[in-house]
Every structure is written in C-alpha cells, then in structure tokens.
Amino acid sequence: MTDNASLDEASQPLRMRNFYLARQPVLDRNQALFGYELLFRGSAQGGAHADSGLAASAGVLHHAAQLGLPRAIGDATAFLNIDRDGLMSDIFAFLPRERTVLELVRSVEPDDAVIERMRVLAGHGFRFAAEASSHGQALPRLLPVIDFVKMDLRALAPVTLLSLAPRLRTTGKRLVAEKVENHTEYRTCLDVGFDYFQGYYFARPTVISGRKLSPSQTTVLALMDLVASDADNGAIEALVKREVTLGMNLLRLVNTPAVGAGRRIESVSQAVTLLGRRQLQRWLQILLFAEADVRGHSQSPLLMLATTRARLMELLAQRLRPAQKNVADIAFTVGMMSLMDTLFCMPMRDIVEQIPVIDEVRAALLGRGGFFGELLRLAESLERMDEAQADGQDGVLSTLQALAIDGDDLAELEVSAFEWSDKVVRYAM
C-alpha cells in the first residue's frame, strides 16, 4: 500500500499539543444516538484548568465555540461540563441553547446565586444536568432546576444504584448511566429504568468462538479483495450485481456529500472511474459497518466511532506527512479496522489473517506499534480522555511527545473528523 521510504519517514515520533477535546456518545434505550458529552482540555502541561479536571471554564468554552460546536455535535444534543465561573459568564451567546445541556461539575455549590443563574438560563432554553454522587446531599436542592440526573457506575455501589435510580425516576428527571463499560451493565441499567447510557460498552469486543461472517459481510470483503488486487471493473460489477441491496447501499454511500465527487454516481463502474480504487476501498470498509447494523437505527454508534477515528487518523497523517498520500490512506484503514474485532465478534488476530494487510497495519492493530499504532493510541486516548483523568494519568499527553502541530490546528482536525463522520453516517444508514 505504500513504499518503504514513506514508512521509514512516517515512523518519526509525535510532538505534544495543548488544546484538544473528546466527544463521547450518549445513547437512548434503543442504542440510538441522543447526544454527546464534549470534554475539553486547555493545557497540555496540566496548568490552566487542571484543578477542575475536565470542567470547561468560560475561556475554554469560548475557544471551543469559535471552533464551531454545531459542527462537533451535528444534530445531537451537547452535554458540556461547566464550573461556577463558566456558569456566571457571558459565554452562552455562543452556544446552541436548544441543543445544549450544561452539566454542573462537583465543585459547583448550589447556593442562591447559582440557583438563580440556572433559572435565568433555563428561561432562555438551556437545560441542566448534575451527577448524583458528585453532589450528594446538595442534589435535592438542584432537582427543581435540572433536567437530567447522571449516575456514575464506577462511583456508586450496585445496591445504591438499584435503590436510588427508582426513587429519582419518581421526580420526573431523565436518568443517564455514566461509564457503562459492558453489555451486562447496559442491560442492568436498562431494566432499572435509565433513559440514556454513556460509555463505550458498544465498542467492547465480545468474542464468540466459531462465529461466521454474514453473507453480506463476506461479499463486501470479497469486493475489497478484488479492488485491492486490481481486478478489472467487470469482475467488480459482476459481484455487486449478485447482491442488489449491497449495490444500492454502496451507491447511496458514495453519493454522500462527504465524498465530494461533484456529480451523482449512478453505477459501480462510475464509482471506480470517478473515485479511484483507494476511495472505493474506504467506502467498502465503511459499508462493512453499515451492513452489519441490523437494529435499523438512523445512526449506528459503532459506525460513528469507526468513521470518526479513521478520519481523524487520516487528517493527522495528512498534516504530519503532506507529501505521502499513501500514508494517510493507511491511517484511515487502520482506524476502520481497529474496531472490526467488535464488529465481527472475533479476535483481531483472526481478522488480520482473513483480511490481508501489510506488516505496518498488522503491527498497529495487534500491538499499537509503529507510526500508525501511535496515531491509533492517540485517537483511542482522546475518546477515553475522562477515564485517563480519573486514573491520574493522561493518555493523550503520553502519546503526544513530539507532534509537530499546534493545539488549535489539532482541535480543528478533531471537529472536521466529527463533521465528516456525521455526514457519512447520515447517508450510510
């Protein structure tokens, strides 16, 4: 997929940046997307805002708003952590109030001034959330002015969760389960009556021994093999014609505005001619995730995560190695393939045996090795930024030792990846 000289140059280390963000999905009871919690870090050295952890001060929120928060959340609702200074500031003119939930951090004391400020902002259309264990005995005073109560599964004992959730439901507040790490926890919270779920349980691989790929997935993989082996267009079209639904889905996907083809693509032959083999290969990778979503939702969280991760890695590779187009293509592929163990319910080692990949891709997927592995670690650390903070470590900073890009540029790449992924998923499903 690329030459050795390009890979040697691409193996250079990364350098640190100082402003970045994370977008963590909030799903409803059907596992469809409801919103995102946006987390910001405004200091690479842990200086400014370090005392409040991931709370966004007015300055950080203003900075993020200038990047374009609507681009970062699409049509979803934004949950924004906010401290007292931010709550009392004038930042709110920059936020999409009808799609913004302000989540009070632990340090916010609900005194008279805070409650009055919340009432004023609620009158302008903003909604509020508070976390049960963080606010403890102050929660009853907050209940009349908040709309969502979050419950951190890592901070509450199971017996407390099972008794507290039903009581809070009687208040009419929406309940959000935070840090849901696996499907067992999701099912438990679903049974208890939670309305929304936050965490990457949907991205955790559940390995099923002997599982076979679906006929649709097998066909897509066969198409990917034909494209990669430079088969003629006739062979590719013949395979697509045997799967009419697959062909329709592929054409719908390659006509998304995210492709930027400039004209409508009416056939697979046109797709190959106008997009080229590399672009067609990436849309087949995306189609693997779209085809596997049998829930019928308008947005698949796994597809959203995979396309966001892949696009961010591609944009980072383009910025770091602008003269090496192949390197960006490989970065995108690594991002998409990094979640295929979850998609197929198979160990990653089995997947790289079934899907031929170059050594650099294998090293990245199996051991997070090399340049592409470094980009993958960075993307994964960004996604789980709050987990690193809770553990007293910052996985993002530990990966950014020599990234030759400033913070504003990198945050812009993240927002661009979010925006691109939203467009793709809207057409893919």
Side-chain angles (χ1 to χ4, degrees):
M1 298 174 70
T2 187
D3 54 62
N4 291 333
S6 296
L7 290 171
D8 288 343
E9 187 175 349
S11 65
Q12 298 172 19
L14 302 175
R15 188 181 63 117
M16 186 165 59
R17 64 185 172 125
N18 60 9
F19 182 86
Y20 46 89
L21 61 153
R23 184 178 80 163
Q24 299 186 352
V26 179
L27 308 180
D28 66 15
R29 290 178 62 84
N30 295 315
Q31 297 199 66
L33 182 70
F34 171 71
Y36 294 103
E37 180 171 352
L38 296 180
L39 302 170
F40 307 93
R41 284 298 304 275
S43 173
Q45 287 73 34
H49 319 304
D51 291 339
S52 57
L54 292 170
S57 71
V60 172
L61 271 179
H62 185 270
H63 194 153
Q66 288 180 321
L67 289 172
L69 282 183
R71 293 173 56 207
I73 62 173
D75 297 328
T77 296
F79 286 76
L80 300 174
N81 286 268
I82 193 163
D83 55 21
R84 185 187 180 97
D85 290 342
L87 186 67
M88 297 300 185
S89 74
D90 297 325
I91 182 60
F92 301 98
F94 299 96
L95 301 177
R97 63 190 66 190
E98 71 283 356
R99 291 186 290 128
T100 299
V101 176
L102 301 171
E103 182 175 343
L104 305 178
V105 301
R106 180 187 298 269
S107 62
V108 177
E109 294 288 342
D111 56 27
D112 291 344
V114 165
I115 296 296
E116 178 58 26
R117 178 60 169 162
M118 291 173 68
R119 292 190 189 281
V120 170
L121 291 173
H124 290 291
F126 289 99
R127 291 174 290 172
F128 292 90
E131 202 277 308
S133 61
S134 293
H135 293 281
Q137 295 181 349
L139 187 62
R141 187 169 191 207
L142 285 169
L143 284 177
V145 288
I146 63 177
D147 303 271
F148 300 86
V149 177
K150 287 192 166 187
M151 301 179 72
D152 185 341
L153 269 62
R154 311 275 75 83
L156 291 172
V159 64
T160 304
L161 181 78
L162 293 174
S163 63
L164 182 58
R167 295 205 306 270
L168 286 172
R169 280 195 62 79
T170 65
T171 67
K173 306 305 174 184
R174 296 291 186 177
L175 301 186
V176 184
E178 281 191 302
K179 296 182 180 165
V180 184
E181 293 188 352
N182 55 61
H183 283 274
T184 299
E185 292 179 345
Y186 162 70
R187 293 299 312 181
T188 298
C189 292
L190 190 67
D191 293 341
V192 171
F194 278 86
D195 301 284
Y196 302 105
F197 309 86
Q198 186 175 341
Y200 283 99
Y201 64 94
F202 64 87
R204 307 289 187 187
T206 302
V207 176
I208 301 176
S209 178
R211 184 184 187 274
K212 301 294 184 182
L213 302 185
S214 71
S216 175
Q217 291 170 334
T218 301
T219 303
V220 174
L221 288 173
L223 276 169
M224 290 171 60
D225 186 57
L226 285 177
V227 173
S229 62
D230 207 25
D232 61 62
N233 290 1
I236 295 173
E237 288 186 90
L239 182 55
V240 172
K241 287 177 180 177
R242 295 207 302 265
E243 295 277 352
V244 177
T245 301
L246 176 62
M248 292 173 58
N249 289 341
L250 177 61
L251 289 177
R252 183 176 70 248
L253 191 55
V254 298
N255 278 297
T256 172
V259 177
R263 56 178 287 192
R264 181 164 183 82
I265 298 173
E266 303 288 352
S267 68
V268 175
S269 178
Q270 266 190 312
V272 175
T273 301
L274 294 177
L275 300 180
R277 296 294 175 111
R278 288 190 187 131
Q279 283 291 317
L280 184 58
Q281 189 79 315
R282 81 166 48 195
W283 297 106
L284 289 170
Q285 293 169 8
I286 292 171
L287 192 58
L288 273 176
F289 285 81
E291 284 289 299
D293 187 352
V294 297
R295 296 188 298 273
H297 298 148
S298 60
Q299 291 182 317
S300 161
L302 191 62
L303 174 61
M304 182 73 77
L305 182 61
T307 51
T308 301
R309 183 185 292 183
R311 180 61 170 174
L312 177 59
M313 290 176 62
E314 177 188 29
L315 292 174
L316 283 165
Q318 286 175 346
R319 184 64 62 92
L320 292 167
R321 311 287 182 257
Q324 304 167 30
K325 294 181 180 179
N326 285 358
V327 171
D329 291 332
I330 296 171
F332 184 93
T333 293
V334 170
M336 290 300 300
M337 290 192 66
S338 65
L339 286 163
M340 284 188 183
D341 53 350
T342 300
L343 176 69
F344 296 144
C345 299
M346 297 169 60
M348 184 60 73
R349 189 168 296 278
D350 292 349
I351 291 171
V352 298
E353 293 299 328
Q354 294 190 35
I355 303 176
V357 296
I358 61 174
D359 290 344
E360 289 76 14
V361 173
R362 177 186 292 269
L365 293 174
L366 296 182
R368 303 303 186 260
F371 173 71
F372 303 109
E374 198 169 7
L375 290 182
L376 180 54
R377 287 200 310 272
L378 171 57
E380 291 172 328
S381 295
L382 285 167
E383 293 159 5
R384 292 167 172 80
M385 193 160 63
D386 63 331
E387 295 178 12
Q389 280 292 110
D391 293 338
Q393 302 174 350
D394 196 322
V396 177
L397 296 182
S398 65
T399 315
L400 295 174
Q401 295 303 309
L403 181 58
I405 184 172
D406 65 37
D408 287 351
D409 284 346
L410 193 49
E412 174 61 34
L413 294 185
E414 289 184 89
V415 173
S416 295
F418 297 153
E419 187 176 30
W420 187 88
S421 174
D422 289 346
K423 289 179 181 177
V424 169
V425 172
R426 188 175 295 116
Y427 278 75
M429 307 312 298

